[in-house]
């Protein structure tokens, strides 16, 4: 096995990338493809969503209106829903911000690539479950140290599916 897998130039380019210097490979990966629109890097937090994706805010405002209707029709309760902030954060920061426990749903939004995450906080989830099964949703529920039952998980999954239909309609 005396053959080198990488040439010395390739090794030097990789080492330059580790040291934080711009290499030809890194700068070429940021170029836009010749036959399509420019690529959008969601992992760069310094990018502003408002400047890069101006229509996204109006889509989520429409979704908030549809979500009010979904809550009213499914749970029989009028709920106030609005868009608070719209920001792009790295995945690691999102994981650190998640309250525990939470109902986390991985979904695909065709034709977008990759997966999306829909997170329902435990307080909201338990209130929705209680209202759906005949309660008033006002009873305090201890969420710490308790996992969702299979019935609760099934209900939340079906509710998220209806929420995704609302996003599709808003889009």
């Amino acid at each position: 096995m005396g053959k080198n897998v990488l040439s010395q130039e390739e090794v030097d380019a990789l080492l330059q990338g580790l040291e934080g210097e711009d290499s030809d490979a890194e700068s070429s990966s940021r170029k836009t493809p010749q036959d399509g629109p420019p690529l959008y890097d969601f992992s760069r937090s310094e990018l502003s969503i408002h400047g890069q994706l101006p229509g996204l805010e109006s889509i989520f405002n429409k979704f908030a209106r549809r979500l009010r209707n979904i809550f009213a029709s499914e749970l029989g309760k009028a709920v106030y829903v609005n868009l608070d902030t719209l920001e792009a954060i790295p995945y690691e920061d999102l994981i650190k911000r998640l309250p525990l426990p939470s109902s986390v749903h991985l979904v695909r939004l065709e034709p977008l690539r990759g997966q999306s995450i829909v997170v329902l906080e435990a307080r909201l989830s338990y209130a929705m479950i209680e209202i759906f099964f005949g309660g008033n949703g006002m009873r305090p529920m201890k969420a710490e140290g308790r996992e969702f039952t299979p019935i609760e998980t099934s209900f939340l999954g079906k509710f998220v599916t209806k929420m995704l239909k609302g996003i599709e309609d808003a889009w």
Side-chain angles (χ1 to χ4, degrees):
M1 268 202 93
K3 293 186 177 184
N4 290 335
V5 177
L6 297 175
S7 69
Q8 188 60 41
E9 291 174 1
E10 293 169 326
V11 171
D12 292 340
L14 287 173
L15 290 174
Q16 282 180 344
L18 289 176
E19 294 171 357
E21 299 175 14
D22 283 340
S23 67
D24 292 336
E26 184 179 341
S27 62
S28 67
S29 68
R30 291 186 183 161
K31 292 181 182 175
T32 61
Q34 297 298 330
D35 57 344
L39 298 175
Y40 184 82
D41 186 7
F42 283 97
S43 65
R44 292 180 45 204
S45 62
E46 67 270 7
L47 293 175
S48 168
I49 290 215
H50 299 289
Q52 297 289 327
L53 300 170
L56 197 58
E57 190 168 352
S58 66
I59 290 170
F60 281 121
N61 280 323
K62 287 179 186 176
F63 171 61
R65 287 192 299 273
R66 286 183 175 18
L67 194 55
R68 283 183 218 140
N69 295 335
I70 292 170
F71 273 103
S73 67
E74 295 297 316
L75 301 177
K77 293 276 186 180
V79 177
Y80 178 71
V81 180
N82 72 329
L83 176 65
D84 186 26
T85 60
L86 186 63
E87 62 180 314
I89 60 172
Y91 179 74
E92 293 82 22
D93 293 343
L94 172 69
I95 295 299
K96 291 175 187 173
R97 288 185 187 181
L98 286 179
L100 294 176
S102 293
S103 178
V104 179
H105 304 266
L106 293 175
V107 297
R108 289 213 21 93
L109 299 173
E110 294 290 339
L112 301 176
R113 292 181 293 166
Q115 294 180 333
S116 299
I117 299 175
V118 176
V119 179
L120 301 174
E121 291 186 17
R123 290 185 325 172
L124 173 64
S125 299
Y126 288 128
M128 289 169 39
I129 291 165
E130 184 181 350
I131 291 169
F132 184 77
F133 289 108
N136 63 1
M138 302 304 281
R139 187 176 66 161
M141 183 70 77
K142 183 182 179 208
E144 291 79 23
R146 180 178 181 268
E147 293 186 20
F148 293 103
T149 66
I151 292 173
E152 293 169 339
T153 303
S154 174
F155 165 75
L156 293 171
K158 289 176 184 177
F159 199 87
V160 167
T161 301
K162 291 174 184 172
M163 289 172 63
L164 293 174
K165 177 68 174 132
I167 289 176
E168 182 181 329
D169 293 343
W171 195 276

